[in-house]
Amino acid sequence: MMDVNVVIAGAAGEGIQTVGSIFSVAAAKCGLAVFSWQEYESRIRGGLNSYSIRISTSLKNAPRRDADVLLPLRKEARKKYRSWLNPNGLLIADEQDNTDGATEIFVPFNKIAREKWQSPIYANTIAVGALWSVIGGDFEALQVAVEDEFQGKAETVIKNNVEAARDGYLFAEKSCQGICPWKLEKRPDRFYLIAGSPAIALGSVKAGCRFMAAYPMTPATGIITFLTQHRKECKVFTEQAEDEIAAINMAIGAQFAGVRAMTATSGGGFSLMVEALSLAGMVEVPVVVVLAQRPGPATGLPTRTAQGDLLFAIHSGHGEFPKVVLAPSDPYDAFHKMVRAFNLADKYQIPIIVMTDQFLADSQFSIPDFDVELAKVETFIASPSDFSTYKRYSITASGISPRLYPGQSKYLVTADSDEHDEDGHITEDLDGVAVPMMEKRLRKLQSLRREIRPPERFFMEDDVEEVFVGWGSTRQAIFEAVEILREEGKRIGALHFTELWPLPELSSKEEFFPPKASITIIEQNATGQFASLLRRELVIRDAKSMLFYSGLPVTAQDIRRRFYGRD
Amino acid sequence: MVEISDFYSETPVQWCPGCPNHAILTTLKEALVELGKHPHEICLVSGIGQAAKLPHYMPCNFFNGLHGRALPVATAIAVAQPNLTVIVTTGEGDCYGEGGNHFIHTLRRNPNITLFVHNNSIYALTKGQASPTTPPGERRSLNPDGVTQPPLNSLGIAILHRAAFVARAFALDRAQLKSIMMEAIQCRGFSYVDIIQPCITWDPRPLDWFRKNVKPLDSSHDPADLKKALELALLPAPPIFTGVFFKTTDRPVFGDDFLMEMGVSSLVEPVFPSDKDVLKILEQFR
Ligand SMILES: Cc1ncc(C[n+]2csc(CCOP(=O)(O)OP(=O)(O)O)c2C)c(N)n1
């Protein structure tokens, strides 16, 4: 079985993106499973960044932080990322340098570019040709990927780039002989290679979303960017709002007017949205907010990843009102979760927060099949013909009042952020109106609890002595760690949550956990937020936390090392 | 046929007896009746403040949201359902203070909504603090030595941004107020009317001061003349001029291009991409 991790490293603006994207596409076109993730600094040019591409013959949608092949585009990158290179790993060297002990495949891509092409811009394409040769790919597949990448550019640009790729390919082929162990065989599989942001955008399209307003903030921006650039096909009206406050108020306005609408942001922007989140709770207008997490208070580490906003999301908003918090695990799940988010928001007329993070937003996953029909769109807007009189906030047993929208019929539709009566008018009648109205809204929680899906079980067999628990985008890293540790004889299983609030009601912890198993909650934050939620909500007192908060995505090896290290 | 009785509401009004807000409410109802608008064709949007309570006092669709946030909500409603007559009623604290950023950007967007700012130069609901239009020198609870900042020139800002319709009216000149309201509602694009609404509780100036110092613009003023309009808006007050300062039809209305491109008249019309369309977009990732 092939499982190769290739790391391209260099400065921002140097072409890592181009090299990485050509290489990933070429591998995907050969039918291999590709998983890529990036870590970068918050700057436009300079700094040192990496693009990791994991290529395997079986699905491996989890990051690795070690390199079988390292391609540094400049000397400084070689220095910084040298420690990632595995003992048997290969380094593609532009300049020979044997002082760090790496096994080098020498391809002077900068020199070739200067001498043959009189232009440094071809260095990247030469490098990607070399990389492709090192892992034993067939040139034609690379050619298609190069043509794809430069699609729309002048004929000569495409031709020259194909040739430059061939230069690198042939040069490396010679140096590879006897060193490179790989032969990349074409396979019949065809995966979708997609990151979280476009998957979320398309999930919302499927869900019938027609309006999105947002203010740019990494790592949430990819969603509105995708919808805007594909507006002809997606048919979603998008607007760059003046700030996050306007963005969410616009989404609420559109929803009030009967249109499925959303917004997306990161922590700082979400802070600004919280006022309106509470408004949505009070006026009972559905709204979907994607909260793409990044580490740190304030502006934090803008381009890094974290799961540090969980309790903030769950407790967001002043006053008490029901809401739902979801956290998809990968792009496929994210696609489906968006449909679920819009359905739930519509059904319960509440705000829904979909939590992602930089890792999920930017990483490309291989998805075998996109069953788009599986996600069923359900709408809950009432029919005016069902009423002889209409009150927007009628008190009901379920807490859900039938919803019409203005302009739909002669019935008047109201929304009031003040406490209000069934007609939506301001009230100061505390016992007669305010109390029953609060209770009406909160009654929705009872059925919501039953609707929330239980966690996914992974190897939860009778022999399990320890359960790893995780949520959101760390799913694959945790599952891969379980696989590795089980192969090493450890009796471990895992539970993974993608629906976090409200948590399902449990009479005893045994409903989820084997009676004697110890529990380790793995998350990417410094205070064990999910652990404290489980302790509070699910009568679990004795859970341990395994926490990662460097800003890099957690890997299976990180978990494995920590597992052994704690003994 | 719509009649004034169609706009009768049972909700008790919470404004001070004698407040010019009552006159604004009555005039708005009359303007809507004269325009033949039915309550269900109207959507009032407001924030928080005394002025922002207006939607509760007449039957119609309404969204009474957060302090300062009426404009983004109204903008989205107008794009989603262009057939609704979307009117924002708000105070100057709501619109120029808390909502100042939205005011500026709504001017840039030019959505098809009408904005009536009940400008009483005071934060009335929170009991008399200075607002962005309180005259300098006036002593307020948080300005014991008198307001030092100059008042916001909201008309100037709106004219500079070439809003579709920029006017000022006086709550106690109901004939002029009605005709300005009607013209504003009929005008496509962002119509903005600053309505002088003296506060009978907190303003030290008596109503007669306003009757003397509020003056209609000279009838020769041509609202197509941006330079002249701006000049008038920059004149020191008093006198406080009322009338239509500026008007233009040459700005695209926010959202029109999208609706046209999609071939729909509102966003609630179901033209969702089908599963097949979604799969087609996904194909580019394979
Ligand atoms: C976020 C927020 N801040 C402050 C308030 C308190 N508040 C309510 S009304 C108001 C001022 C309203 O002034 P204005 O818009 O001029 O309306 P008026 O009451 O004078 O008609 C303020 C500050 C609030 N409701 N929400």
Side-chain angles (χ1 to χ4, degrees):
Chain A
M1 193 198 71
M2 183 181 194
D3 181 4
V4 186
N5 204 43
V6 172
V7 177
I8 303 155
E14 197 164 52
I16 300 185
Q17 292 285 338
T18 318
V19 178
S21 124
I22 294 174
F23 185 73
S24 311
V25 167
K29 291 231 187 281
C30 291
L32 285 126
V34 175
F35 172 82
S36 83
W37 68 279
Q38 300 179 52
E39 52 95 17
Y40 48 97
E41 297 182 10
S42 178
R43 54 198 279 178
I44 310 292
R45 283 182 186 281
L48 286 172
N49 308 324
S50 70
Y51 193 136
S52 302
I53 303 153
R54 183 174 186 179
I55 297 171
S56 55
T57 41
S58 69
L59 263 190
K60 293 273 182 230
N61 279 322
R64 280 174 51 184
R65 216 174 312 107
D66 58 331
D68 298 309
V69 181
L70 177 64
L71 168 63
L73 295 176
R74 59 165 61 205
K75 239 197 260 143
E76 296 87 338
R78 174 175 182 145
K79 231 181 181 161
K80 176 172 171 190
Y81 292 94
R82 170 64 184 86
S83 63
W84 289 33
L85 194 63
N86 288 325
N88 301 322
L90 296 173
L91 189 143
I92 301 181
D94 180 36
E95 283 172 54
Q96 278 167 311
D97 166 15
N98 284 324
T99 56
D100 62 11
T103 310
E104 291 179 349
I105 300 277
F106 175 55
V107 183
F109 40 87
N110 277 304
K111 192 158 154 260
I112 299 176
R114 268 196 317 272
E115 287 175 3
K116 172 165 177 192
W117 299 95
Q118 280 85 51
S119 163
I121 59 164
Y122 291 101
N124 291 329
T125 319
I126 300 167
V128 78
L131 194 56
W132 191 241
S133 175
V134 165
I135 72 151
D138 138 82
F139 185 74
E140 259 161 59
L142 182 67
Q143 175 166 351
V144 174
V146 172
E147 285 166 355
D148 258 24
E149 179 76 24
F150 295 100
Q151 196 185 40
K153 297 259 163 69
E155 203 61 36
T156 51
V157 173
I158 301 176
K159 209 177 110 250
N160 289 355
N161 274 291
V162 169
E163 201 178 327
R166 198 189 311 271
D167 290 344
Y169 187 85
L170 295 175
F171 199 106
E173 210 172 30
K174 277 183 255 138
S175 333
C176 272
Q177 262 145 39
I179 307 180
C180 293
W182 302 289
K183 178 89 192 101
L184 193 149
E185 304 281 1
K186 277 202 176 175
R187 301 167 61 88
D189 300 334
R190 279 193 77 200
F191 298 104
Y192 293 89
L193 182 62
I194 188 169
S197 292
I200 287 170
L202 282 168
S204 66
V205 169
K206 158 86 202 203
C209 174
R210 297 294 302 282
F211 184 105
M212 177 172 187
Y215 187 82
M217 188 167 186
T218 307
T221 317
I223 302 166
I224 192 168
T225 308
F226 185 90
L227 290 176
T228 308
Q229 289 178 351
H230 294 78
R231 84 187 224 159
K232 282 210 165 65
E233 309 124 86
C234 292
K235 299 181 165 36
V236 178
F237 180 88
T238 56
E239 173 65 0
Q240 178 177 338
E242 58 270 33
D243 54 32
E244 289 82 353
I245 298 170
I248 186 169
N249 276 282
M250 283 180 182
I252 291 171
Q255 283 272 13
F256 173 70
V259 175
R260 286 196 165 186
M262 70 183 288
T263 184
T265 185
S266 185
F270 187 72
S271 298
L272 294 177
M273 288 184 181
V274 165
E275 181 199 36
L277 202 84
S278 168
L279 168 71
M282 183 57 142
V283 297
E284 303 189 50
V285 167
V287 66
V288 176
V289 182
V290 177
L291 166 51
Q293 301 163 98
R294 60 194 216 185
T299 314
L301 286 161
T303 59
R304 307 291 172 172
T305 202
Q307 297 182 307
D309 297 338
L310 176 64
L311 292 180
F312 175 39
I314 283 170
H315 298 298
S316 57
H318 54 286
E320 297 162 295
F321 60 93
K323 67 166 102 57
V324 167
V325 178
L326 307 172
S329 56
D330 62 28
Y332 182 71
D333 187 30
F335 177 91
H336 288 273
K337 275 280 187 292
M338 288 311 286
V339 179
R340 183 153 165 79
F342 277 99
N343 289 346
L344 284 174
D346 214 15
K347 180 170 179 184
Y348 289 95
Q349 304 168 25
I350 54 172
I352 310 273
I353 301 161
V354 180
M355 301 191 75
T356 68
D357 48 48
Q358 182 267 333
F359 170 70
L360 175 53
D362 294 345
S363 300
Q364 288 181 299
F365 294 63
S366 280
I367 312 288
D369 181 26
F370 247 98
D371 189 345
V372 305
E373 277 170 41
L374 205 66
K376 290 266 173 292
V377 181
E378 299 163 34
T379 53
F380 299 90
I381 289 181
S383 166
S385 59
D386 293 347
F387 310 103
S388 53
T389 56
Y390 179 70
K391 286 177 187 298
R392 174 64 191 93
Y393 297 109
S394 59
I395 304 262
T396 60
S398 66
I400 301 169
S401 320
R403 173 172 163 235
L404 298 178
Y405 57 83
Q408 186 184 7
S409 67
K410 293 214 161 58
Y411 290 126
L412 299 180
V413 183
T414 56
D416 190 9
S417 72
D418 281 84
E419 191 54 274
H420 44 256
D421 60 19
E422 289 183 283
D423 278 317
H425 287 299
I426 293 178
T427 184
E428 297 268 358
D429 179 349
L430 305 182
D431 289 335
V433 177
V435 168
M437 198 50 83
M438 173 65 108
E439 288 169 353
K440 169 196 114 70
R441 287 189 295 267
L442 291 179
R443 269 204 294 283
K444 298 175 189 179
L445 269 170
Q446 293 160 9
S447 35
L448 263 173
R449 277 222 164 82
R450 289 192 292 275
E451 196 149 343
I452 284 298
R453 294 197 183 131
E456 181 185 353
R457 301 163 62 86
F458 188 73
F459 279 113
M460 288 295 285
E461 288 151 20
D462 292 345
D463 71 339
V464 161
E465 288 171 352
E466 175 158 358
V467 182
F468 286 173
V469 182
W471 61 278
S473 72
T474 53
R475 173 179 180 269
Q476 275 308 320
I478 294 173
F479 288 3
E480 191 175 10
V482 169
E483 273 171 349
I484 295 170
L485 288 166
R486 286 189 79 90
E487 268 166 36
E488 293 170 354
K490 305 289 174 200
R491 293 174 183 173
I492 294 179
L495 283 184
H496 181 265
F497 288 76
T498 55
E499 310 213 340
L500 305 176
W501 189 260
L503 281 171
E505 241 158 345
L506 275 198
S507 51
S508 75
K509 100 176 197 202
E510 278 73 33
E511 277 181 49
F512 280 164
F513 300 95
K516 290 210 187 74
S518 67
I519 300 170
T520 299
I521 298 167
I522 302 175
E523 42 186 333
Q524 294 186 150
N525 57 55
T527 53
Q529 299 188 22
F530 191 51
S532 64
L533 190 70
L534 288 186
R535 259 178 233 129
R536 190 178 92 190
E537 297 288 318
L538 297 187
V539 289
I540 295 164
R541 299 264 163 273
D542 44 3
K544 294 187 284 278
S545 275
M546 189 189 283
L547 305 173
F548 299 89
Y549 41 90
S550 70
L552 292 175
V554 64
T555 66
Q557 289 301 338
D558 290 335
I559 296 169
R560 180 179 171 275
R561 266 191 299 274
R562 198 71 78 77
F563 176 83
Y564 287 117
R566 70 188 176 185
D567 302 326
Chain B
M1 264 291 282
V2 205
E3 286 169 37
I4 199 80
S5 58
D6 293 332
F7 284 97
Y8 172 75
S9 161
E10 281 174 23
T11 312
V13 176
Q14 296 174 10
W15 293 322
C16 309
C19 171
N21 268 334
H22 296 277
I24 298 177
L25 174 64
T26 311
T27 314
L28 178 61
K29 289 179 179 179
E30 288 170 5
L32 290 166
V33 168
E34 237 166 274
L35 290 171
K37 298 274 179 202
H38 292 270
H40 68 271
E41 297 168 329
I42 301 160
C43 188
L44 290 185
V45 184
S46 68
I48 297 297
Q50 289 295 18
K53 289 178 180 169
L54 183 140
H56 291 283
Y57 307 143
M58 55 186 260
C60 56
N61 299 295
F62 71 81
F63 190 105
N64 180 192
L66 296 171
H67 189 39
R69 315 297 174 214
L71 286 172
V73 174
T75 299
I77 295 172
V79 173
Q81 289 219 49
N83 293 329
L84 285 172
T85 297
V86 181
I87 300 172
V88 177
T89 60
T90 171
E92 84 289 354
D94 197 42
C95 188
Y96 312 148
E98 189 86 62
N101 199 25
H102 308 310
F103 178 60
I104 294 170
H105 292 278
T106 307
L107 288 167
R108 291 179 54 232
R109 281 192 188 100
N110 196 37
N112 186 26
I113 62 181
T114 301
L115 167 67
F116 295 134
V117 180
H118 304 208
N119 184 354
N120 57 6
S121 303
I122 218 80
Y123 280 33
L125 190 59
T126 48
K127 302 206 158 56
Q129 300 83 4
S131 84
T133 61
T134 304
E138 208 169 291
R139 286 176 196 227
R140 309 278 20 144
S141 56
L142 304 180
N143 305 76
D145 300 326
V147 170
T148 51
Q149 296 102 328
L152 187 86
N153 194 327
S154 57
L155 254 68
I157 293 170
I159 295 164
L160 268 178
H161 284 84
R162 306 168 52 75
F165 182 90
V166 184
R168 180 180 280 138
F170 179 34
L172 301 182
D173 181 351
R174 291 195 40 219
Q176 185 210 34
L177 177 63
K178 187 163 88 187
S179 87
I180 288 180
M181 278 180 162
M182 287 172 64
E183 202 178 341
I185 293 167
Q186 280 173 298
C187 171
R188 251 180 80 73
F190 186 30
S191 310
Y192 159 54
V193 186
D194 183 71
I195 305 171
I196 301 298
Q197 174 239 327
C199 178
I200 54 169
T201 302
W202 304 108
D203 201 311
R205 296 165 294 186
L207 286 181
D208 274 340
W209 183 93
F210 285 93
R211 290 198 179 95
K212 259 195 246 112
N213 287 292
V214 174
K215 291 210 162 64
L217 286 175
D218 197 282
S219 60
S220 67
H221 174 59
D222 173 12
D225 187 342
L226 182 130
K227 263 200 184 142
K228 189 72 211 300
L230 197 55
E231 225 169 80
L232 290 166
L234 290 175
L235 289 176
I240 304 168
F241 284 111
T242 58
V244 182
F245 280 64
F246 180 70
K247 249 170 97 170
T248 178
T249 51
D250 64 5
R251 292 202 43 205
V253 171
F254 184 68
D256 274 6
D257 55 348
F258 183 86
L259 295 172
M260 193 124 94
E261 197 181 329
M262 298 300 148
V264 290
S265 63
S266 89
L267 291 185
V268 283
E269 278 179 39
V271 294
F272 312 135
S274 65
D275 282 357
K276 246 171 65 200
D277 296 328
V278 173
L279 273 174
K280 217 163 96 198
I281 310 172
L282 273 167
E283 214 34 49
Q284 64 181 275
F285 293 98
R286 253 217 306 204

